[in-house]
């Protein structure tokens, strides 16, 4: 296993992985791969926390982080680090790669 930062050459493979991981899980089809595609161009994207996991030279999992804000019950706004989407190829799900 190799855990490493995602590189530009990985973008298409990662988006396909995310699509496969979420396809028909919460609704017909999915949007998570498109969200990832858009997130890379957003100022909230944290490229230093955009990781892939390789097994036998194949990317089998991906996690990304972005910056966000949360509003507390009292109305205060606090900075947050948000993770996701987290994608694992279906044949690797449930085996500890996530």
């Amino acid at each position: 296993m190799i855990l490493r930062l995602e590189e530009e050459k990985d973008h298409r493979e990662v988006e396909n992985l995310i699509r496969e991981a979420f396809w028909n899980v919460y609704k017909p089809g999915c949007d998570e791969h498109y969200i990832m595609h858009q997130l890379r161009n957003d100022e909230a994207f944290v490229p230093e926390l955009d990781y892939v996991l390789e097994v036998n030279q194949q990317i089998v999992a991906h996690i990304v982080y972005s910056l966000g804000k949360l509003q507390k019950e009292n109305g205060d706004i606090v900075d947050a680090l948000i993770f996701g989407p987290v994608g694992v190829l279906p044949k690797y799900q449930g085996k500890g790669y996530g």
Side-chain angles (χ1 to χ4, degrees), residues 37-92:
H37 180 79
Q38 295 294 84
L39 181 60
R40 289 189 189 101
N41 297 314
D42 193 285
E43 64 184 31
F45 176 63
V46 182
E48 300 85 3
L49 296 174
D50 179 20
Y51 288 97
V52 296
L53 179 67
E54 289 184 356
V55 174
N56 299 323
Q57 300 177 339
Q58 178 188 14
I59 296 174
V60 301
H62 172 262
I63 187 169
V64 65
Y65 291 81
S66 57
L67 303 174
K69 302 216 178 268
L70 295 173
Q71 184 172 5
K72 295 166 53 174
E73 287 184 14
N74 67 3
D76 289 348
I77 305 291
V78 295
D79 292 330
L81 185 63
I82 303 164
F83 76 93
V86 177
V88 179
L89 284 175
K91 80 178 207 174
Y92 291 89

Side-chain angles (χ1 to χ4, degrees), residues 3-19:
L3 180 65
R4 64 172 176 79
L5 288 173
E6 181 189 38
E7 300 172 15
E8 188 173 343
K9 69 179 178 63
D10 302 321
H11 289 183
R12 186 178 186 106
E13 184 176 356
V14 166
E15 289 170 24
N16 287 336
L17 177 152
I18 293 169
R19 186 189 66 240

